Amino acid sequence: MRDDLDFDFSILITDLNSKILDCNKAFEGLSGYYKEELKDLDIEKIIKKDILLTRNGNIKIHYDVFPLIKENIVIYVIYDIEKIKEILEENLLIFQDAPIPIIELDVEELIDYLNTLRKIIGENLETYFITYPEAIFDFIHKLKVVKVNKFFEKAYMGVSFEKFKENLFNYFTPQSIEIVKREIIKFYNGDKKLDFELEAVDPNYGIKILRCIISIFEEKKAVIYIIDMTEHRHLERELKRAIAKLELFSNQIIKTLSSVIENKDSYTANHQRRVADLSKKIAQEIGFSKDKVDAIYIGALLHDIGKIAIPAEILNKPGKLTPIEFEIVKTHPLKGYDILKNIDFPPEVLDIVYHHERLDGTGYPDGLRNGDISLEVGIVSVADVVEAMASHRPYRPPLGIDTALSEIEKWKGIKYYEEVVDVCIRLFREKGFNFS
């Protein structure tokens, strides 16, 4: 590359509201303005589409935008089109020898056609396509293939350049035509850099998935960089299938663990399932993420698994437990924790299994209070007591859902988190939730 064609990137920085914050020396030189003059100006005062409004007149530019949301800034990297033209002209060998397939297109006829169409139909090209779906082929025929590079010829030996040149989309599937239609609409709306994937028919290898990155220069020339994504997408699909199998396997383990106690105490197994369903709904209503909701559901589904270590005669005793028997029952959270601790569950699962706590310190095993109890544990504790009171127990008939809701309302903010109680009551009284 000639030394006189070297140039620094012009950088412009705005906030997320498009107010200019800063720029580099190269941008000052390109625009003719000092950064102090630009500060707090709206970017549209200096850049309109692909035009830079400089102190000495308008120049055509190409720019890339990089939003940095966490830093509350947007970075614009700006290129002078004339400089880019010179660099392209001087570096045709780079085009020819680039290690990826490249196609050069003449888009002047297409752009003239779009400009004429805009005068007739206005800005809404999408509606035009709905009315005339076959119009996409009018657009396609306006694209002229100028040349392809050596790597393209090597990678796609089965592609006849003459046929390819005659109609760029001879080798693309019908589904890909719909993708092209979408990208034409973007281009019509002013997007000068397109990046999309489509399916192509390779005569030698069958269907390929190609990523096409298109940059448009000078309002008449476009360059398409092609990246073969076929193997990548195949590996992605295989990975998704493997993950799905792992998730299925994981769910089977969880269900098996949940049902381990069923032969010993069918009440506890059914109780866990119903508590898990209610806990999941409460967590969703509160607004937890899907991962958090799933962890709460699993924790609730397994929260009494430690009862497998409690003698059946105590679990199924029809009368009131003695103080000693109740102390034995209170050991089940630790037993459950020991069963599950070596499995790679989310931390919320073991927290829920281990802590059967209440805000006032009357829970077990640690007698935690208020802020020491996680909201996830608080959700399951409310679901636990509601299901237990509403359902049949070995020592009494069901008390009913109204009695259960009155109980948690009575102890709201004392034993149970207020937010959890309010959500639980709303689910039953307003949203029609029922235990299945």
Side-chain angles (χ1 to χ4, degrees), residues 5 8 37 63 77 93 126 220 255 294 326 339 365 429:
L5 291 179
D8 294 326
E37 298 176 271
Y63 61 89
V77 182
L93 286 176
E126 191 168 0
K220 59 183 179 182
K255 287 178 181 177
D294 289 345
F326 185 54
I339 292 169
R429 291 181 177 166

Side-chain angles (χ1 to χ4, degrees), residues 8-48:
D8 294 326
F9 296 134
S10 295
I11 306 292
L12 186 66
I13 301 174
T14 74
D15 63 19
L16 297 181
N17 295 315
S18 299
K19 299 295 182 187
I20 297 173
L21 302 175
D22 202 355
C23 67
N24 67 350
K25 290 284 186 187
F27 185 82
E28 287 182 328
L30 185 65
S31 67
Y33 293 102
Y34 293 109
K35 68 173 69 176
E36 291 78 14
E37 298 176 271
L38 298 170
K39 193 169 175 59
D40 294 329
L41 275 181
D42 193 289
I43 194 169
E44 288 192 359
K45 298 287 186 183
I46 192 98
I47 295 177
K48 292 187 181 296

Side-chain angles (χ1 to χ4, degrees), residues 1-7 82-98 102 104 147 149 221 223 225:
M1 187 186 297
R2 289 202 327 249
D3 290 342
D4 62 339
L5 291 179
D6 290 337
F7 66 99
E82 290 302 315
K83 287 287 186 183
I84 291 176
K85 273 176 59 180
E86 292 178 49
I87 289 169
L88 288 174
E89 300 278 334
E90 290 287 321
N91 289 278
L92 290 177
L93 286 176
I94 293 177
F95 175 92
Q96 282 300 328
D97 297 331
I102 302 176
E104 184 182 317
K147 59 178 178 283
N149 70 343
K221 183 186 291 185
V223 177
Y225 306 92

Side-chain angles (χ1 to χ4, degrees), residues 117-169:
L117 192 60
R118 184 174 278 105
K119 293 174 185 176
I120 300 169
I121 67 168
E123 299 300 320
N124 200 341
L125 185 60
E126 191 168 0
T127 302
Y128 181 72
F129 274 136
I130 292 170
T131 309
Y132 304 104
E134 297 303 311
I136 183 61
F137 294 101
D138 291 334
F139 292 93
I140 290 171
H141 287 304
K142 301 290 188 273
L143 293 167
K144 308 299 181 187
V145 178
V146 177
K147 59 178 178 283
V148 296
N149 70 343
K150 293 174 185 175
F151 200 94
F152 182 95
E153 293 173 347
K154 180 181 176 182
Y156 303 105
M157 291 182 293
V159 176
S160 160
F161 179 68
E162 288 307 314
K163 284 188 177 179
F164 191 68
K165 187 174 178 181
E166 179 185 325
N167 186 347
L168 182 63
F169 292 96

Side-chain angles (χ1 to χ4, degrees), residues 308-340:
I308 195 172
I310 307 299
E313 57 269 24
I314 294 178
L315 288 179
N316 298 311
K317 184 177 178 178
K320 187 176 181 180
L321 297 178
T322 66
I324 292 176
E325 288 170 335
F326 185 54
E327 289 301 315
I328 292 172
V329 169
K330 285 166 64 175
T331 64
H332 83 268
L334 182 56
K335 302 288 186 184
Y337 179 86
D338 286 339
I339 292 169
L340 302 177

